Amino acid sequence: MADEKYVWQIGLPPPLINRHSQTKHDIIEEYVRQYILTLMAPANIPELKLSIIDGFCGGGCYQTESGNLTDGSPILMMQAVRDARIRLNLERRIPRNINVNYYFIDILHDTTRYLDHWLKAKLSDNAIALEDYQKTEIITDNFLNRLPQLIQKIKQQKRGEHALFVLDQYCYKDIPLPAMAGILRELKGAEIVMTFNVDNLTTYLSDRAANRKPLENIGLDAYVPWQELKQLKATQKREWRRILQRHLANGIKREAGAKFMTLFFVKPYGANSWGYWLIHLSNVYRAHAVMKALHWTHATEFGHELESGIFVLGYDANKDSDYTRQQTFEFGGEGSKEACIDGMREYFGKTIFQLDKPVKLADLFQNCVTNSTAAEPHLMEAIGQLHSAKDVVITSKDGAKKRINKIYKPSDIIEPVKQLSLYVYDKDS
């Protein structure tokens, strides 16, 4: 982290961390834990080879607002790995191995020296495992400079292309989306968790070369409605930010090339406006499902400014009035869960009627999850409500007709009844 807000020097107090940044760290820690447990869910897998890359790692230690010390992402991820390893091997005679290579990268020598110092202290306190410490590489360099070498090293590991990139950069200009697309394209098991300071981008955005060049460098220039920007700010004084967010979110999804994406605001404390997105990019549905579930587990900390059910990335001027009426969606808000399920039930009803043929639940879910706040339990609940209303027929994968209940499987098959009255598909909509 080259920003002067975060300075680490041995012998001086570490920098201050605010509460919503701590929440972000908590999510990353818990995701690493759940990520490993999910990959190792089949009991016959003896070993997991994984690379964890923290591209803007910082010094590994912060001061909280109350004056206490708290660990940064490198230590928290190492502790999550240790916890998952212990959990997987409880009461097992033959241990299952979690083999992780860590790459902690920062551009400043003072920062990486501090991290090395802090890791040694944590090892001495038995707060991290020796086997993890021994497989840690601390690198002083620009992340993008080192990225090609890292990709090649990971590709050379036998059965080792599982890689989690954590990119908590301070400035949106530091992560070109073509580089993210390269990670997901080159490494079959790669995932990316990154922050994006959308508020910093939109606040001073105007159709000037000084603004366009940074967006061109990161791959988002083509997704900003430059010619309409001035008019949007003049005529949509309350909504232009949300409209622009749709364009940017659409650009991130397309340019990164990820099949699945979560993109939600981390809720700030105090009077601050929504500042940055925590983004997860993956080509694997199960990984997406784990991250989405964590957003609901930490519901009071997350939100977005799009629809509660299915939302549209990009902007359609014909739906301008819909955008104007849209309120901020907070995961922990009153009625948010119900609104999410209602929106999914309506979407599924229309989609199933439009398809007018059997479809696997897994396929139905995977086609919409990126554009929804819903986690898998909400999707299942929406399906259950359609089933209870007798609007659909659900069968198991072997063709057995299922009774109405709350337990469905992704392999189940759903299709509309012969006449579906509630969800009439309008060809003009």
Side-chain angles (χ1 to χ4, degrees):
M1 293 183 180
D3 191 273
E4 59 186 30
K5 177 182 177 182
Y6 297 104
V7 176
W8 286 269
Q9 286 187 342
I10 295 174
L12 296 179
L16 184 71
I17 187 171
N18 54 38
R19 290 174 63 191
H20 68 273
S21 291
Q22 285 184 266
T23 297
K24 172 184 60 184
H25 284 172
D26 291 343
I27 290 288
I28 292 170
E29 177 188 12
E30 183 61 22
Y31 181 75
V32 170
R33 184 180 294 108
Q34 294 301 326
Y35 173 85
I36 292 171
L37 295 175
T38 299
L39 288 174
M40 295 293 284
N44 61 342
I45 299 177
E47 181 182 38
L48 170 65
K49 290 186 177 181
L50 171 65
S51 297
I52 293 180
I53 303 92
D54 193 334
F56 301 82
C57 64
C61 178
Y62 297 86
Q63 283 190 91
T64 67
E65 293 174 350
S66 60
N68 298 317
L69 296 182
T70 188
D71 292 321
S73 53
I75 287 83
L76 293 175
M77 291 190 290
M78 295 174 79
Q79 291 175 338
V81 170
R82 184 185 63 175
D83 292 347
R85 187 184 290 122
I86 292 171
R87 190 179 304 185
L88 286 168
N89 286 299
L90 285 174
E91 300 181 358
R92 285 188 63 89
R93 184 173 59 85
I94 302 176
R96 305 171 75 191
N97 190 27
I98 309 300
N99 187 345
V100 182
N101 292 316
Y102 301 89
Y103 303 95
F104 299 140
I105 307 166
D106 200 282
I107 199 168
L108 296 178
H109 285 281
D110 281 345
T111 300
T112 53
R113 278 195 291 265
Y114 194 102
L115 177 60
D116 180 60
H117 166 78
W118 191 245
L119 282 174
K120 288 175 180 174
K122 303 306 285 188
L123 179 65
S124 178
D125 291 341
N126 200 33
I128 56 176
L130 177 62
E131 63 183 293
D132 292 317
Y133 177 81
Q134 290 174 334
K135 303 198 74 175
T136 298
E137 184 176 349
I138 298 175
I139 302 166
T140 305
D141 200 354
N142 177 285
F143 167 70
L144 293 176
N145 290 343
R146 190 56 66 106
L147 181 57
Q149 182 180 333
L150 287 171
I151 289 175
Q152 289 306 310
K153 183 179 288 191
I154 294 168
K155 289 177 73 172
Q156 290 168 5
Q157 297 172 4
K158 188 176 181 181
R159 300 189 308 276
E161 284 194 31
H162 286 296
L164 177 62
F165 287 78
V166 175
L167 306 175
D168 187 13
Q169 77 282 2
Y170 188 75
C171 181
Y172 70 87
K173 304 173 187 178
D174 292 336
I175 297 295
L177 292 167
M180 303 303 96
I183 291 172
L184 295 172
R185 183 177 60 250
E186 294 290 329
L187 299 172
K188 292 184 293 185
E191 299 179 36
I192 300 168
V193 178
M194 60 182 281
T195 52
F196 188 91
N197 195 331
V198 64
D199 193 49
N200 179 261
L201 187 158
T202 58
T203 298
Y204 304 105
L205 194 64
S206 62
D207 189 8
R208 297 185 297 110
N211 281 159
R212 297 191 67 149
K213 187 61 178 176
L215 288 190
E216 181 181 330
N217 291 342
I218 64 172
L220 287 178
D221 176 69
Y223 297 90
V224 177
W226 297 106
Q227 294 181 345
E228 295 86 18
L229 191 58
K230 187 174 181 179
Q231 183 179 1
L232 276 175
K233 288 185 175 183
T235 61
Q236 299 279 357
K237 293 185 178 180
R238 295 182 59 188
E239 303 303 320
W240 71 268
R241 286 179 185 269
R242 295 182 181 186
I243 292 170
L244 190 56
Q245 287 169 21
R246 291 179 186 270
H247 286 287
L248 295 172
N250 183 44
I252 291 169
K253 170 71 164 54
R254 290 179 176 272
E255 292 301 311
K259 188 175 181 181
F260 302 105
M261 176 179 77
T262 62
L263 182 149
F264 298 114
F265 281 107
V266 179
K267 184 179 180 180
Y269 291 85
N272 294 331
S273 64
W274 298 93
Y276 65 87
W277 285 323
L278 182 65
I279 302 172
H280 177 240
L281 302 166
S282 173
N283 288 323
V284 179
Y285 169 72
R286 184 49 51 193
H288 174 91
V290 170
M291 179 59 82
K292 190 74 72 67
L294 285 178
H295 282 295
W296 283 95
T297 299
H298 295 262
T300 58
E301 317 294 347
F302 287 93
H304 79 157
E305 296 188 328
L306 305 175
E307 294 81 359
S308 57
I310 288 289
F311 49 81
V312 178
L313 299 181
Y315 178 71
D316 182 351
N318 294 322
K319 296 185 178 181
D320 189 73
S321 61
D322 294 339
Y323 304 147
T324 302
R325 292 193 301 268
Q326 182 58 43
Q327 301 296 313
T328 297
F329 177 88
E330 297 189 29
F331 283 76
E334 183 178 354
S336 292
K337 177 182 174 181
E338 292 75 14
C340 173
I341 293 170
D342 288 347
M344 295 313 303
R345 185 188 65 245
E346 181 179 352
Y347 170 80
F348 285 149
K350 290 179 179 179
T351 301
I352 292 164
F353 181 79
Q354 180 183 357
L355 289 171
D356 197 24
K357 64 179 182 180
V359 60
K360 189 186 298 184
L361 287 185
D363 295 335
L364 190 66
F365 293 173
Q366 291 185 31
N367 286 333
C368 72
V369 288
T370 285
N371 293 64
S372 171
T373 58
E376 192 166 284
H378 308 121
L379 304 177
M380 291 294 188
E381 176 66 23
I383 291 296
Q385 291 183 11
L386 286 176
H387 200 194
S388 296
K390 300 181 179 180
D391 293 321
V392 297
V393 175
I394 300 179
T395 57
S396 63
K397 63 181 180 180
D398 57 8
K401 190 173 180 179
K402 303 199 76 165
R403 294 183 178 182
I404 295 171
N405 56 50
K406 291 187 177 181
I407 302 175
Y408 302 96
K409 297 180 179 179
S411 59
D412 289 341
I413 309 297
I414 190 169
E415 60 183 305
V417 296
K418 295 300 180 182
Q419 290 186 351
L420 186 59
S421 58
L422 286 178
Y423 302 97
V424 179
Y425 174 60
D426 183 355
K427 293 182 179 180
D428 296 326
S429 65

